[in-house]
Amino acid sequence: MKPFPRAEISSRALKNNLVRLREIAPESKVMAVVKANGYGHGLLNVANCLNDADGFGLARLEEALALREGGVKSKLLLLEGFFRQADLTTLVEHDIDTVIHNEVQLEMLESASLSKPVTVWLKIDSGMHRLGFTPEQFESVYSRLKACPQVAKPINLMSHFACADEPDNDSTKIQMNLFNELIKGLPGDRSLANSAGTLYWPASQADWIRPGIALYGVSPVTGDLGGNHGLMPAMDLVSELIAVRDHKAGEPVGYGSYWCAKEDTKLGVVAIGYGDGYPRNAPEGTPVWINGRLVPIVGRVSMDMLTVDLGLNASDRIGDDAILWGKALPVEEVAEHIGTIAYELVTKLTPRVAVCLG
Ligand SMILES: *Cc1c(COP(=O)(O)O)cnc(C)c1O
């Protein structure tokens, strides 16, 4: 018996998406971003499926260590860098690259005593204004890193886009130009492009692309679909109907009783709710795929269940699959109904959802 709710992860889709991104960025290496439990797809599952990637990007040291413990030998990069001086020893011991984006990290590096130098990616704030050294700080930081024996040479260079998911927004070009101007003539690898940069701003692909969401088959751009780029959704979120009920016109359903049937119908109860990470604020009409068609959510999503309007003539039965998103129902579309982004839906699933690799 398959558990439910479950996130069925397609290794074929993940592998396809890596191949496809290499076609889209043929000159670049791929730093596959697998932070946040592989965007909810299972950290080790994803890393093992994508063992052809040139490296993996993580947000936290714990994530990188989990990959090493799982036997992953590839290049690993901490995208937020290290937080404490003791982390540096761990980085060297496990051969993990780090971003360096602030003065405190720089001082920790300068005063560390390490058995071998650590590979760093110097992050320039070209306009995101979240992490990174400003263009004004760049020259002095670069010379300090160059002079620092704890730092492997050459120093790699990176930046991150604020608006690459807006194909008409010029700020991406401005960020690119600022970065390229600053690092002109310097050795070391360069990396700018997240998924949106990779797909929409080919000039940003540089030595390494850093795709996250696209690897999972999802487009980063509102109104777009991964499928439009030859990407395949890697996750099917599946649960089951646990009740099918006759429902009379005028009867409400669920907490607050705020939806009432206009006509006689049949309601289905699906075993998934906000306790599984399906958002409570999903409005009436958010689609669920059951037996080959889309049916609307009605009434409020509760902790363990949600209700759908199956229609008066429905022949659905208890035990039938209900797909909340996946190949049949793009997560991008579900996210738009709910007023969020697909990134949040896939990463917010709770441990109650079994992640199954297929
Ligand atoms: C998360 C992250 C990425 C991947 O972003 P996507 O939009 O999922 O492709 C790339 N680079 C950095 C620095 C990140 O933090």
Side-chain angles (χ1 to χ4, degrees):
M1 286 300 285
K2 289 185 180 168
F4 65 88
R6 64 185 178 275
E8 288 181 0
I9 309 304
S10 160
S11 54
R12 199 177 127 242
L14 288 168
K15 287 176 197 291
N16 166 78
N17 297 341
L18 178 57
V19 168
R20 188 62 202 123
L21 287 166
R22 285 198 191 282
E23 286 168 4
I24 291 170
E27 309 291 325
S28 310
K29 292 183 187 167
V30 179
M31 181 77 68
V33 179
V34 295
K35 62 192 178 188
N37 194 30
Y39 285 47
H41 294 61
L43 176 62
L44 273 170
N45 286 345
V46 174
N48 287 328
C49 289
L50 298 181
N51 57 2
D52 277 350
D54 302 288
F56 293 108
L58 298 313
R60 309 276 159 78
L61 181 56
E62 290 72 19
E63 297 172 335
L65 292 176
L67 285 186
R68 286 288 182 251
E69 272 157 37
V72 173
K73 303 270 190 285
S74 320
K75 185 178 194 64
L76 303 182
L77 170 61
L78 294 187
L79 297 167
E80 297 176 358
F82 58 98
F83 305 142
R84 317 211 187 288
Q85 186 141 35
D87 295 346
L88 280 168
T89 318
T90 315
L91 293 185
V92 167
E93 190 181 333
H94 296 278
D95 202 11
I96 299 167
D97 294 10
T98 183
V99 162
I100 167 152
H101 60 80
N102 70 33
E103 179 72 26
V104 172
Q105 291 173 324
L106 183 54
E107 284 163 13
M108 287 193 272
L109 260 175
E110 288 173 328
S111 61
S113 99
L114 301 174
S115 62
K116 64 177 196 250
V118 53
T119 301
V120 303
W121 292 73
L122 172 54
K123 183 158 187 176
I124 299 167
D125 173 13
S126 59
M128 175 75 163
H129 303 318
R130 188 179 58 181
L131 299 181
F133 293 100
T134 63
E136 293 71 34
Q137 293 171 308
F138 176 71
E139 218 180 285
S140 115
V141 171
Y142 191 83
S143 1
R144 280 170 69 183
L145 285 172
K146 220 167 121 185
C148 179
Q150 284 74 252
V151 170
K153 309 298 174 328
I155 297 156
N156 304 300
L157 300 153
M158 68 175 274
S159 193
H160 194 57
F161 292 131
C163 306
D165 60 329
E166 297 171 29
D168 298 324
N169 192 325
D170 274 349
S171 72
T172 302
K173 242 181 234 157
I174 295 170
Q175 285 194 258
M176 259 190 276
N177 291 342
L178 181 58
F179 177 82
N180 290 332
E181 197 54 41
L182 273 178
I183 57 122
K184 203 189 269 170
L186 296 176
D189 283 354
R190 292 123 211 268
S191 177
L192 292 147
N194 52 5
S195 296
T198 305
L199 297 176
Y200 282 87
W201 305 88
S204 75
Q205 290 166 352
D207 298 311
W208 290 81
I209 55 171
R210 304 190 308 268
I213 199 75
L215 278 171
Y216 307 97
V218 176
S219 171
V221 172
T222 309
D224 190 18
L225 294 176
N228 297 338
H229 304 272
L231 303 167
M232 289 161 56
M235 180 191 289
D236 275 318
L237 181 61
V238 188
S239 192
E240 286 187 10
L241 282 173
I242 58 166
V244 175
R245 307 167 49 90
D246 291 324
H247 192 87
K248 291 201 169 51
E251 283 180 338
V253 67
Y255 289 118
S257 300
Y258 81 102
W259 177 86
C260 265
K262 292 195 182 72
E263 305 159 7
D264 290 357
T265 188
K266 278 185 185 167
L267 294 189
V269 181
V270 179
I272 194 162
Y274 63 81
D276 304 288
Y278 193 93
R280 181 174 177 277
N281 62 333
E284 180 190 330
T286 304
V288 177
W289 192 94
I290 297 178
N291 291 321
R293 74 209 193 276
L294 297 176
V295 293
I297 291 182
V298 292
R300 207 164 262 165
V301 173
S302 48
M303 187 186 292
D304 316 302
M305 287 171 263
L306 56 79
T307 40
V308 292
D309 186 355
L310 296 169
L312 186 60
N313 300 317
S315 55
D316 311 280
R317 302 165 63 112
I318 290 173
D320 288 352
D321 277 353
I323 312 251
L324 289 309
W325 59 70
K327 289 182 285 296
L329 171 55
V331 65
E332 293 96 322
E333 284 176 17
V334 178
E336 230 173 302
H337 275 273
I338 298 177
T340 183
I341 53 176
Y343 295 76
E344 187 177 16
L345 294 184
V346 291
T347 53
K348 259 196 175 167
L349 297 178
T350 70
R352 203 163 72 170
V353 177
V355 180
C356 315
L357 190 64

